Amino acid sequence: MTTDTGYTAKDIQVLEGLEAVRKRPAMYIGSTNRIGLHHLVYEVLDNSIDEALAGHCKNIEIMLYKDGSVSVTDDGRGIPVDKHDSGKSALEVVLTVLHAGGKFGKQAYAVSGGLHGVGVSVVNALSETLSVEVRRNGKTYAQTYHIGKPLSDVKVVGDTDKTGTMIRFKPNTKIFETVEFEYNYLKERIMELAFLNAGLRIKMSDERDGNEQEFYYEGGIKEFVEHINKARTKLHAPVHFKKTKDNNEIEYALQYTDSYSESIYSFVNNIKTVDGGTHVSGFRTALTRVVNEYMRINKILKNDKKMSGDDAIEGLAGIISIKIPEPQFEGQTKAKLGNSEIKGIVDSVVYDSLMTYLEEHPTEAKRIMQKIISSMEAREAAQKAKELIRRKSVFESSILPGKLSDCIEKDPSKCEIFVVEGDSAGGSGRQGRDRNYQAILPLKGKILNVEKAPMHKVLTSEEIKAIVLSIGAGFGEDFDATKARYHKFVIMTDADVDGAHIRTLILTLFYRHFKPLIEKGYLYIAQPPLYKIKQGKSIQYAYSDAQLQEVLKQTGEKVDIQRYKGLGEMNPEQLWETTMNPETRTLKQVTIEDAIVADELFTILMGDEVAPRKEFIEQYAKQVKNLDI
Ligand code: 0RA
C-alpha cells in the first residue's frame, strides 16, 4: 500500500493497465487454458534467459510448490531497485507497468527472447499473489502483491553477496481454466532452453511429488543434435559452428544419419520458429550449394547432375539458432522469421564454414556425399515408379488406339489382327482385308527394343501402347491372355533386312510381355511372296528361291520376274491374295519349343552384351540366305 503519498494519477493509470490485462488476458498471453497458464512461467523465465543472453546469469531454478505457486530464481543482475521518477522503486514499476522492462535498461539488451515479451507485470496482473526477491547492491529486497497490488513498498530484508531475482506467483483461479502446472510440459521448453544456451544450468524441482532434474549442456546445440539423433545411426560426429556477423549471432549444429527423414529445428532469440523463415531458407540454400559445389570440385558427379535441396537434407538433423537484435516475426502464429537481411547472412556463414568442414574432413565428407547420392537415386527411382503406375493405368484403358482399323466381328476366336510395318503397307492391308474379321494395326518402323529399354521407356512408347491397347488384355502383372481381342496376331513385315529387324523387335515384345499369347499359339508371321512371275496375263508368286526355280522351270522363256522389296509394292488385291486370304496364304505359327533357349536367344540377339551376339551371328552366318542389302 502506498502509505505516505497517497494515490497519484500515475497509480490509477497503473491499476487501469493491469485491469485491462485481467479483462482480456488472451490478448497478452494467448489464452487462459493450460497453454496460457504455462506461458506465465515462460514469461518470467524469458527475463532470466535475457540476463543469461547478456552474459550475467548462469543458473536458473524453477520450483513447483504444493500450494499451486511456482517460482523462478536466477543469478542475474537482479531487477533494478533504485527510485524511479515517480518516487517508486524501479522494481515496483517493472511489476506493475505494462512493458516497463525496457525503461530500466532493458534496451541495453542486444537481444531479447520471449514470444510475447509482455513483461512480468502481466504475470503479476494474472496472479492471486506474487512475491519478488531481488539480490543486488549487497542487499536482499522484497515485495509482495495481491491481484497485482503491492501489499507494501519494496523492503530491504537482509544482506547478501549474491545477485539475482526470485519471482514466485500463484495464478489467479478466477482467470485460468486450470491452475495446475505440469512438470513434463514445462520440462520440454526448459530442456530446449538449456540446449540453446550452452553452459546455462536450469534446475527444476516439483515439491508435489519430489521430481527433480537439472538441464545443463556444455556443448549446447551440438548436444541438442546428439539428443535428436540418439536412436539413429550417425554418419559422423556433429558439425557445430558459431559466428557473429554485424551484431547477429549465427549458430548451427548438424549431423547426418542413415534415416530418411529430416529433423531441422530453428530458433530466433531462443524462440522456436516452427514455420521457419529467412534463417532457414538461408541455411537450406547454403547446404544445397555446398553439396553441389563439393561434388563438382571433387568430380563426384557425372554429367553435371545436381542434387536438389531435398536430396541434400534427407537424413539430416540440424539446429539453427540465431540471436539478432530486432527479430520480425510473421504469419498467423508469429513463428516465422521475416528479416530479409538474415537469409544472406546465414547463407554465407553456413556455406563458408560447412565447405571448410568438408575440406578438412574428407572421410566424413565422403560418407555424407554417398548418403546424399543414394537419397537422390532413391528419389529418382520413386519418381520413375510413380510414372510407371501412371503409365500402367493408361495401358489399362479400354480405348482403342486411333490407328487401329478394327474388324466388325467381336468374337475373339474369329478375329485376326495384322501388325503391319509402315503406313503404306497398312493402307494396302486396310483396303485388301476382309473387314468382317480382320483388323489392321500399322506401326511406324522400328519399335522399341524392350530387351534393352528400361520399363519407363516401354511404358511411354506410343507404338507399344497401341499394341497393348489393341490386344486389350492389360499389361505386366495384370496381363490376362483370356481377354485378348484376337486369337490370331499376324506380324506382317517387309521381306528385307529392316523387315526382319522389325519382326524380331515385335517378337521380342511378345516374348517378354505377352508370352501366354505365344503359348496359346496365337502368334503368327505372315509369309508375303518374294517374287512375282508374270507371263502374259498370268501371274504367279514364289515364296522362296527354290519355289522361283520351280516356277521358272514350268514357264520357260519370256517371263517378267519382280523381286518384292516391300509390302508397299503390292496393291491391296495382291496383298489379300498372296498374304492375307486364309484360302491362299501361308502363315508361320510362332512356337516356344524351349522357353529357356528362346529366352537366351532373345537376350543374346536383343540384349546389351555385344560379344555373345557377335559370336551367335558368326556361328549362324553361313546359314543365312537372301540377305538383301
Ligand atoms: C529490467 C532491467 C534489467 C534487468 C531486469 C529488468 C530483469 C528482470 C528479471 C525478471 C526475472 N529475472 C530478471 N532479471 C533481470 C537490467 C538490470 C541492469 O541493468 O542491471
Side-chain angles (χ1 to χ4, degrees):
M1 209 73 61
T2 41
T3 46
D4 41 2
T5 50
Y7 263 34
T8 64
K10 270 191 183 127
D11 289 322
I12 293 163
Q13 266 180 12
V14 164
L15 291 175
E16 280 175 347
L18 294 193
E19 194 49 43
V21 177
R22 277 187 289 269
K23 267 195 185 135
R24 291 198 163 77
M27 252 184 70
Y28 298 85
I29 52 156
S31 70
T32 54
N33 58 23
R34 63 188 275 271
I35 298 175
L37 175 79
H38 290 89
H39 194 94
L40 297 178
V41 182
Y42 298 153
E43 197 56 57
V44 179
L45 192 55
D46 281 340
N47 284 278
S48 302
I49 295 286
D50 277 353
E51 282 292 288
L53 283 176
H56 301 293
C57 162
K58 290 256 167 281
N59 297 281
I60 299 173
E61 198 170 339
I62 295 125
M63 292 256 238
L64 301 171
Y65 298 92
K66 281 185 180 150
D67 67 0
S69 65
V70 57
S71 70
V72 178
T73 310
D74 66 54
D75 59 355
R77 288 167 292 183
I79 301 175
V81 288
D82 44 300
K83 281 254 176 335
H84 187 232
D85 306 339
S86 64
K88 280 185 196 156
S89 161
L91 175 58
E92 186 177 325
V93 176
V94 165
L95 281 158
T96 53
V97 179
L98 294 179
H99 306 290
K103 291 186 191 161
F104 296 93
K106 256 209 164 185
Q107 67 266 52
Y109 286 121
V111 297
S112 175
L115 187 48
H116 295 269
V118 286
V120 282
S121 58
V122 167
V123 177
N124 193 16
L126 301 174
S127 294
E128 224 168 82
T129 57
L130 181 145
S131 56
V132 59
E133 254 180 52
V134 168
R135 274 165 266 275
R136 206 177 152 105
N137 318 322
K139 301 205 180 312
T140 303
Y141 304 84
Q143 195 179 28
T144 302
Y145 293 81
H146 182 76
I147 326 266
K149 269 192 243 170
L151 297 180
S152 67
D153 284 338
V154 174
K155 297 228 164 86
V156 174
V157 294
D159 296 325
T160 182
D161 54 359
K162 298 199 173 77
T163 62
T165 306
M166 189 283 296
I167 293 174
R168 177 173 172 174
F169 64 94
K170 192 167 183 275
N172 192 334
T173 47
K174 295 200 179 81
I175 291 168
F176 290 93
E177 293 159 34
T178 168
V179 288
E180 197 179 326
F181 288 111
E182 296 166 42
Y183 184 93
N184 285 328
Y185 185 97
L186 290 167
K187 180 189 143 178
E188 290 306 312
R189 172 67 178 157
I190 286 161
M191 196 170 163
E192 191 175 276
L193 282 168
F195 277 130
L196 290 168
N197 299 279
L200 175 64
R201 195 178 300 272
I202 311 179
K203 252 169 96 173
M204 179 159 69
S205 34
D206 192 337
E207 199 189 57
R208 300 168 301 179
D209 60 5
N211 235 334
E212 200 179 284
Q213 266 171 301
E214 190 179 274
F215 302 92
Y216 170 79
Y217 306 104
E218 185 88 61
I221 60 168
K222 178 172 158 272
E223 288 189 53
F224 201 163
V225 162
E226 283 170 334
H227 171 76
I228 292 168
N229 280 343
K230 66 175 181 288
R232 296 176 177 154
T233 306
K234 277 86 55 185
L235 301 186
H236 58 93
V239 182
H240 182 205
F241 190 78
K242 184 167 159 179
K243 183 176 179 163
T244 304
K245 203 171 169 180
D246 316 331
N247 262 334
N248 303 297
E249 186 188 290
I250 313 295
E251 185 184 9
Y252 72 91
L254 58 81
Q255 184 178 40
Y256 279 93
T257 66
D258 69 352
S259 92
Y260 299 109
S261 51
E262 63 168 85
S263 313
I264 307 291
Y265 300 100
S266 63
F267 300 86
V268 176
N269 298 355
N270 292 322
I271 301 156
K272 194 189 256 164
T273 35
V274 177
D275 299 326
T278 50
H279 55 326
V280 178
S281 44
F283 175 82
R284 283 178 169 269
T285 311
L287 184 72
T288 314
R289 276 174 56 218
V290 167
V291 166
N292 279 304
E293 187 62 6
Y294 185 86
M295 287 195 182
R296 192 188 62 77
I297 294 168
N298 293 280
K299 301 188 170 57
I300 294 172
L301 275 185
K302 291 165 232 130
N303 48 35
D304 284 343
K305 250 197 159 145
K306 279 248 160 47
M307 296 298 111
S308 73
D310 288 345
D311 298 327
I313 216 156
E314 192 180 286
L316 183 70
I319 303 291
I320 307 149
S321 171
I322 69 168
K323 286 162 185 162
I324 62 175
E326 277 173 44
Q328 253 122 47
F329 294 104
E330 296 178 346
Q332 275 277 291
T333 54
K334 299 272 171 214
K336 184 177 180 180
L337 185 70
N339 302 50
S340 57
E341 74 282 4
I342 296 300
K343 183 179 190 301
I345 296 173
V346 174
D347 183 346
S348 80
V349 167
V350 174
Y351 182 89
D352 292 345
S353 57
L354 202 52
M355 192 53 107
T356 306
Y357 169 84
L358 292 174
E359 280 162 356
E360 289 172 359
H361 299 79
T363 314
E364 287 85 347
K366 195 175 166 195
R367 253 182 256 142
I368 293 170
M369 296 304 144
Q370 271 167 353
K371 159 75 182 166
I372 293 169
I373 288 171
S374 78
S375 302
M376 182 268 294
E377 285 169 351
R379 204 175 303 279
E380 276 185 357
Q383 191 55 43
K384 274 179 192 159
K386 239 190 197 164
E387 177 77 353
L388 277 188
I389 291 163
R390 201 175 65 76
R391 287 285 162 188
K392 262 189 188 162
S393 64
V394 170
F395 271 30
E396 270 143 26
S397 90
S398 56
I399 299 160
L400 291 173
K403 53 194 195 169
L404 171 73
S405 301
D406 207 8
C407 53
I408 294 160
E409 177 62 56
K410 291 291 163 234
D411 176 357
S413 68
K414 291 177 186 149
C415 295
E416 312 182 336
I417 180 170
F418 287 80
V419 182
V420 188
E421 166 190 354
D423 283 337
S424 73
S428 298
R430 199 166 57 241
Q431 288 171 51
R433 69 177 170 150
D434 184 339
R435 55 161 49 242
N436 284 308
Y437 64 95
Q438 289 182 323
I440 302 286
L441 179 68
L443 295 181
K444 267 204 194 77
K446 294 187 180 154
I447 65 159
L448 190 74
N449 178 1
V450 297
E451 195 68 35
K452 273 187 189 166
M455 190 48 92
H456 71 275
K457 279 217 165 147
V458 173
L459 294 174
T460 49
S461 156
E462 278 304 313
E463 300 303 297
I464 290 174
K465 183 174 150 191
I467 295 171
V468 171
L469 295 182
S470 298
I471 297 171
F475 189 77
E477 291 149 39
D478 308 320
F479 180 75
D480 178 1
T482 64
K483 289 200 179 126
R485 300 177 58 251
Y486 314 91
H487 284 187
K488 276 200 176 77
F489 291 86
V490 187
I491 303 170
M492 190 157 75
T493 57
D494 290 344
D496 59 5
V497 170
D498 277 347
H501 188 197
I502 292 166
R503 184 170 64 237
T504 317
L505 289 169
I506 299 172
L507 282 170
T508 308
L509 172 68
F510 272 79
Y511 185 74
R512 289 295 177 214
H513 295 287
F514 313 117
K515 205 190 230 158
L517 297 181
I518 306 180
E519 285 160 353
K520 281 174 176 285
Y522 291 175
L523 188 61
Y524 298 85
I525 295 167
Q527 303 292 304
L530 286 178
Y531 301 101
K532 179 168 104 177
I533 306 116
K534 202 172 163 192
Q535 191 178 33
K537 278 205 172 119
S538 111
I539 293 175
Q540 280 183 283
Y541 300 97
Y543 292 85
S544 66
D545 284 312
Q547 219 180 357
L548 174 67
Q549 295 314 318
E550 230 161 83
V551 174
L552 289 180
K553 263 185 216 156
Q554 291 161 15
T555 50
E557 301 288 293
K558 261 199 151 183
V559 287
D560 176 16
I561 304 169
Q562 187 191 342
R563 167 103 161 85
Y564 283 128
K565 292 225 167 139
L567 299 163
E569 291 171 20
M570 277 181 263
N571 62 34
E573 292 74 32
Q574 287 170 337
L575 192 59
W576 163 253
E577 209 183 307
T578 61
T579 317
M580 298 175 75
N581 180 357
E583 307 286 322
T584 53
R585 75 186 179 192
T586 38
L587 293 183
K588 204 151 109 195
Q589 191 173 36
V590 178
T591 57
I592 304 174
E593 276 97 340
D594 185 335
I596 297 166
V597 174
D599 201 316
E600 233 170 34
L601 200 63
F602 278 111
T603 312
I604 291 171
L605 283 179
M606 309 308 280
D608 262 335
E609 296 296 317
V610 177
R613 181 160 52 245
K614 233 176 127 185
E615 196 181 303
F616 177 88
I617 291 168
E618 275 162 13
Q619 197 180 332
Y620 290 95
K622 293 173 212 104
Q623 300 171 25
V624 177
K625 283 185 247 160
N626 273 333
L627 194 71
D628 74 344
I629 294 171

